Amino acid sequence: MRVPLEWLHQFVRPRLDVAQLADRLTMTGTKVEAIHTHGVTALEHFVVGKVLRAEPHPDADRLRVCLVDVGDDAPSGIVCGAPNVAAGQTVAVAKPGAVMPDGTRLKAAKLRGQVSNGMILAEDEVAIGTDHGGIMVLDDGLAAGTRLDSVLPIATDVLELEITPNRPDCLSIYGVAREVHAATGATLAPPPWSGDPGSLEPEVPGVTVEVRDPDLCPRFTLRRFEDVAIGPSPPWLKARLMAAGQRPINNVVDITNYVMLLTGQPLHAFDADRVEGGRLVVRRAGAGEQVVTLDDVTRTLDDQMVVIDDAAGPTSIAGVMGGNRSEVHDGTTRVLMEAATWVGPNIQRTSNKLGLRSEASGRFDKQLSPGQTLEAQAVAAQLMVELTGARISGGTIDVDARSEAEKRDPVLRLREARVERLLGKPIAKPDQARILEALDFRVADARDGLDVTVPHFRRADVTREVDLVEEVARIDGLDKLPATLPSRRGAVGVLAPEQRQRRRVEDALVGAGLSEVVGWSLTSRAAVSRLRSPLEPVAVRNPMSEEQAVMRTHVLGSLLDAAALNTRRGMPAVRLFEIGTVYLPWDDDRPRPAGRWDPPAGTRGRAAWDAHRLPDERTHAGALLTGPLRPASWRDSSPPAADFFAAKGVVEALGRALRVELAFVTERDGGVEPFLHPARGARVLAGPNGDPAGWVGEVHPAVAAAWDLEHTVAAFELDLAVLTSYADPVPAYRDLTSFPAVLLDLAVTVGEDVPAEAVLAVVRQAGGGLLERAEVFDSYRGAQVGEGRVSLALRLAFRAPDRTLTDDDVAAPRDKIVARLREELGGELRG
């Protein structure tokens, strides 16, 4: 919604500059998206001029050399190419130094050898219309040198507003003026529909109206105008339409657009002589019925759409666009002016299905009030009489399907105690009344508060006492509200267990030097293909674009996007993590999360369940590392780069933070995931049962290259629900320092195909309760251990909670470990 300040100031003029006004409106809920300047600048260079002489240019047939009095000491010579320029005219002039709407600064110039000190203006050259066929001719009573902006609205600031769907009343100049009045206290002029030259008598000669579907058209009003003279609108009206984003056409069409912008109620003008049979019928369209709209496009309708027809068939699509058969044209002398109310969801469906969006449909689909119809008729009647010379024929046809109860404005009780309880601060009852009355609510005093009558244009939005509280709060100032917790019985300000575990995960990853990113849940099929994901993504039924056509199955894609962005900007060392939702296709063999309902019995019930069940949503924690792990220095010019072991180390740190037992299992026959390096990846298992929790490894070089990543990329992705199900939320106290540990190093040789994780698993099982810790700290391959063998150096720590261990205490578990390694893995102890 574009609101020209010049137009707004007709009704309310706050003592604020445009930036302050924009800030105040935004803080009260009417968001100002942008501030534009419409028209020209350097206004002192735009003046009224008197053409003293207009002679043909000696060297150009289409140019005339004019002598123009612009109020200076001497007349100015101006070369003009307009065919209608003539001596004796009062005209609009731009002198050198003027800045035109496109930003061009006007200078004195020579045109075919004649000096031109300015420009005689057409209306499009100051953005108050579209006509470029000739110059503007002004009232002869204007004095030469008068500033043009005092005569014509050639410049104005424009507020561009973002209006929420629940506030269609703000899709009007007067509705915004009402908000400005309430927000600033500036005086509000009476509404423009205060005076109505028309009559409310129900008869209109020569025309009848029938509404066959009142469930889709609650109210339909019609007036008839005779002796209409079609022509251009006056400059002030065209200027306001241009500033508001509308193109002037002719005075009747411009009146309908002007009234819509002013009151928020769209209107439609029919040429009365083109309405066959003098009868308008509002009905549902027939399936396949067609109508040619004002844009000369044939639209095919269905039986859920509404049309207005006459004896010859549909003449317009209700609430969306009129038809070309009955449109107003240059020869129109009689006009039928319609203002109706349509059911919003039906208009939205019609507009979307036809791919036809108009200013009218954009208002109707937000559900306008039936009370706005006669307000718009009153303003339109004033302008039709004033600007077209028309006379009103008869009264007003008003087909109103509402019951008497529906016509009455509701009354809500607003209690002082309720206001204070919800806002955390008291607002005096007189201040509440003042705010609500400024917003056009009617207020009466009540024992414990106020009885508030909701105006018709807010009935869809204000339905409860809490809505009134919101109105009071936003105008009084949301920034004045104290920071308080809501008053709720039994409420405690603590995190849920899953929230605490998630924060521990975030803290652990940040502590490992990673930075958090947030990626899109929607992605493209091309990105899924580049990732080589083995899962078929869940498709979106109504995607906004091809780039958001499917739901992601891994957070790795988002991390690769972020890594590519960073490396393109000269940041080779990237360490990122994301905790986000992935969407997996349902797999009946995979355990479902708690709370998912089972399919109903029977083939038909199962088929319906399969067709409508949602994807399996999981929260994954993923991380990506690429580039050097630390900055280069004079001591280390080639620091190590991120690899499998760096990512595995972060996973192990995460396991320690959650106190979850993790294990890593490699699969050498093809790798873990297709997007990982076939020999540098592992599955991550969690808990004593070894539940699959995710993967860790180096991204396949071909996948990394698809994102233009040149260095090795290491990553992992873990199912947060699996991890946190084994997390120890409240660890019990354990004495760690009273008695020292006994450290023991072993060197064991095993086959090349035996993973170190398998060796550690056997050691931990055989070590018994005294074994506190086991880790691999070195490996060796060479002649001393033989071909196909590898020597692993193990460091074991034994500790007892009640005594200091001796060598004899650890001899038995040591021997048991050696024996189990020999029996299960073919391991041999090196001397």
Side-chain angles (χ1 to χ4, degrees):
M1 174 73 185
R2 290 172 59 94
V3 177
L5 287 192
E6 179 274 331
W7 194 355
L8 183 71
H9 287 166
Q10 179 184 354
F11 302 104
V12 63
R13 187 180 288 271
R15 294 180 179 179
L16 301 173
D17 63 35
V18 63
Q20 292 172 325
L21 176 61
D23 182 66
R24 182 67 182 135
L25 282 174
T26 297
M27 292 302 294
T28 55
T30 308
K31 185 179 180 183
V32 178
E33 279 289 317
I35 301 172
H36 306 287
T37 298
H38 178 80
V40 300
T41 53
L43 297 178
E44 66 276 11
H45 298 288
F46 291 88
V47 297
V48 173
K50 300 282 188 177
V51 180
L52 305 177
R53 187 171 65 237
E55 299 175 346
H57 192 291
D59 298 318
D61 294 339
R62 296 184 180 181
L63 298 179
R64 297 179 73 81
V65 180
C66 304
L67 189 66
V68 184
D69 179 4
V70 293
D72 294 337
D73 294 338
S76 296
I78 299 177
V79 178
C80 181
N84 64 327
V85 65
Q89 292 175 332
T90 302
V91 295
V93 176
K95 299 195 296 184
V99 179
M100 310 308 288
D102 62 358
T104 302
R105 184 174 291 274
L106 197 63
K107 299 178 181 179
K110 274 191 176 183
L111 297 177
R112 295 289 184 93
Q114 296 291 324
V115 176
S116 182
N117 288 297
M119 176 188 293
I120 302 177
L121 300 167
E123 64 178 29
D124 69 324
E125 291 167 330
V126 285
I128 63 171
T130 58
D131 185 16
H132 192 67
I135 59 168
M136 294 183 289
V137 179
L138 307 180
D139 185 352
D140 286 340
L142 299 173
T146 302
R147 280 184 48 148
L148 191 62
D149 60 323
S150 67
V151 178
L152 295 174
I154 59 174
T156 182
D157 288 319
V158 179
L159 300 179
E160 184 176 338
L161 307 181
E162 179 184 326
I163 305 301
T164 53
N166 64 315
R167 293 300 306 276
D169 60 297
C170 288
L171 289 171
S172 66
I173 298 296
Y174 195 78
V176 175
R178 188 189 297 116
E179 288 290 311
V180 173
H181 162 62
T184 67
T187 302
L188 180 67
W193 52 84
S194 299
D196 185 357
S199 166
L200 297 182
E201 291 296 321
E203 297 295 328
V204 173
V207 63
T208 58
V209 172
E210 178 187 1
V211 178
R212 294 180 183 172
D213 292 284
D215 57 319
L216 298 178
C217 179
R219 193 173 192 182
F220 189 98
T221 68
L222 192 76
R223 284 182 173 177
R224 177 168 175 155
F225 297 88
E226 301 280 349
D227 303 329
V228 176
I230 301 294
S233 296
W236 65 265
L237 190 148
K238 290 194 284 188
R240 287 179 173 178
L241 290 180
M242 290 283 289
Q246 294 281 323
R247 183 173 63 88
I249 298 175
N250 61 50
N251 50 5
V252 172
V253 175
D254 292 350
I255 286 170
T256 63
N257 288 330
Y258 184 87
V259 174
M260 175 187 67
L261 293 172
L262 178 58
T263 69
Q265 169 69 47
L267 302 97
H268 182 66
F270 296 87
D271 184 321
D273 294 323
R274 292 184 170 187
V275 175
E276 299 293 334
R279 179 181 178 84
L280 293 176
V281 178
V282 178
R283 61 170 176 83
R284 281 181 166 85
E289 198 167 16
Q290 293 185 328
V291 60
V292 181
T293 47
L294 290 172
D295 54 0
D296 293 324
V297 176
T298 300
R299 314 280 180 178
T300 302
L301 313 179
D302 63 30
D303 57 6
Q304 298 300 310
M305 300 176 185
V306 183
V307 297
I308 304 173
D309 78 355
D310 57 16
T315 187
S316 63
I317 304 173
V320 180
M321 187 175 284
N324 67 355
R325 182 164 58 83
S326 61
E327 71 176 315
V328 172
H329 58 97
D330 290 344
T332 296
T333 59
R334 297 191 293 175
V335 168
L336 297 179
M337 190 68 71
E338 166 253 308
T341 305
W342 311 99
V343 172
N346 180 266
I347 299 301
Q348 184 179 46
R349 176 191 176 276
T350 300
S351 177
N352 289 342
K353 189 158 188 179
L354 294 177
L356 182 59
R357 186 82 174 163
S358 64
E359 286 282 347
S361 69
R363 286 167 170 77
F364 281 127
D365 65 16
K366 295 171 180 62
Q367 194 53 66
L368 299 183
S369 163
Q372 294 177 239
T373 54
L374 290 183
E375 295 174 352
Q377 287 283 18
V379 180
Q382 297 170 29
L383 293 173
M384 287 291 289
V385 172
E386 177 186 347
L387 302 184
T388 73
R391 61 180 178 85
I392 304 172
S393 175
T396 305
I397 294 177
D398 186 0
V399 183
D400 194 341
R402 297 174 297 163
S403 66
E404 290 303 316
E406 290 173 325
K407 294 178 184 178
R408 286 194 295 269
D409 291 332
V411 178
L412 303 175
R413 174 66 58 85
L414 178 62
R415 296 164 292 176
E416 281 188 276
R418 183 66 168 162
V419 173
E420 181 174 356
R421 182 179 177 188
L422 288 177
L423 300 184
K425 60 169 282 189
I427 296 178
K429 187 161 69 171
D431 291 335
Q432 297 177 30
R434 174 185 54 78
I435 289 170
L436 293 172
E437 287 173 342
L439 292 170
D440 222 6
F441 292 81
R442 299 192 301 279
V443 175
D445 193 51
R447 179 177 55 83
D448 57 347
L450 300 170
D451 283 334
V452 182
T453 302
V454 180
H456 68 86
F457 57 86
R458 295 299 302 276
R459 287 180 61 176
D461 178 43
V462 179
T463 60
R464 305 168 298 166
E465 182 183 24
V466 68
D467 298 327
L468 293 174
V469 176
E470 180 184 3
E471 294 299 300
V472 170
R474 71 182 181 86
I475 299 299
D476 184 67
L478 296 175
D479 53 335
K480 298 179 183 178
L481 296 182
T484 59
L485 290 174
S487 175
R488 290 185 58 193
R489 184 177 300 170
V492 290
V494 298
L495 296 175
E498 59 272 14
Q499 292 174 314
R500 289 199 299 271
Q501 298 294 359
R502 175 166 178 155
R503 289 199 178 183
R504 287 171 65 186
V505 171
E506 292 170 346
D507 290 344
L509 294 173
V510 171
L514 280 67
S515 300
E516 186 174 12
V517 297
V518 179
W520 293 102
S521 294
L522 296 168
T523 187
S524 64
R525 289 193 177 276
V528 174
S529 177
R530 281 190 295 159
L531 190 59
R532 300 185 179 183
S533 172
L535 300 173
E536 176 64 25
V538 177
V540 179
R541 290 184 179 178
N542 54 340
M544 298 293 290
S545 68
E546 286 297 321
E547 294 301 312
Q548 298 179 332
V550 296
M551 311 299 289
R552 68 177 178 183
T553 56
H554 297 84
V555 298
L556 177 60
S558 302
L559 293 168
L560 288 168
D561 289 338
L565 182 66
N566 278 271
T567 55
R568 285 198 300 270
R569 281 159 175 74
M571 298 292 292
V574 178
R575 291 179 283 279
L576 306 172
F577 79 92
E578 178 180 0
I579 299 177
T581 306
V582 298
Y583 302 83
L584 308 178
W586 272 100
D587 181 356
D588 290 328
D589 295 330
R590 185 174 62 240
R592 291 193 292 274
R596 300 280 184 167
W597 53 284
D598 292 326
T603 304
R604 180 176 299 178
R606 173 59 187 256
W609 184 78
D610 285 340
H612 294 96
R613 58 183 174 175
L614 296 172
D616 187 2
E617 295 185 28
R618 301 290 184 94
T619 301
H620 282 193
L624 180 147
L625 303 91
T626 186
L629 293 177
R630 59 176 179 266
S633 69
W634 64 273
R635 299 180 62 187
D636 186 5
S637 59
S638 299
D643 59 4
F644 168 83
F645 295 102
K648 179 174 177 285
V650 177
V651 175
E652 290 171 332
L654 183 56
R656 288 192 296 272
L658 294 175
R659 292 179 283 274
V660 176
E661 180 184 341
L662 298 178
F664 301 87
V665 179
T666 59
E667 296 181 8
R668 294 184 178 276
D669 53 344
V672 177
E673 299 282 358
F675 46 75
L676 293 181
H677 191 291
R680 297 176 189 170
R683 295 195 183 279
V684 181
L685 308 179
N689 299 324
D691 285 352
W695 52 263
V696 60
E698 294 179 12
V699 175
H700 196 289
V703 175
W707 268 267
D708 297 325
L709 297 172
E710 299 177 357
H711 301 291
T712 299
V713 178
F716 66 82
E717 191 165 331
L718 305 173
D719 191 325
L720 212 56
V722 176
L723 284 184
T724 56
S725 66
Y726 288 107
D728 185 3
V730 185
Y733 170 75
R734 205 158 44 95
D735 185 0
L736 299 178
T737 60
S738 294
F739 300 96
V742 175
L743 300 180
L744 179 65
D745 290 348
L746 295 178
V748 180
T749 63
V750 294
E752 283 268 19
D753 58 345
V754 177
E757 184 66 35
V759 173
L760 290 175
V762 171
V763 169
R764 292 182 183 120
Q765 270 191 334
L770 295 179
L771 180 63
E772 181 185 61
R773 186 175 71 253
E775 59 187 25
V776 177
F777 68 88
D778 197 8
S779 66
Y780 169 75
R781 292 173 178 80
Q784 295 184 28
V785 297
E787 187 176 353
R789 305 281 288 181
V790 61
S791 174
L792 300 178
L794 308 178
R795 178 157 295 154
L796 313 179
F798 296 89
R799 191 194 302 266
D802 56 351
R803 68 190 191 280
T804 299
L805 296 177
T806 65
D807 289 344
D808 292 339
D809 291 327
V810 300
R814 172 189 179 281
D815 293 342
K816 188 176 181 181
I817 289 172
V818 173
R820 290 280 298 277
L821 287 173
R822 183 181 300 111
E823 293 169 5
E824 297 185 20
L825 302 178
E828 296 292 341
L829 192 64
R830 287 184 66 194

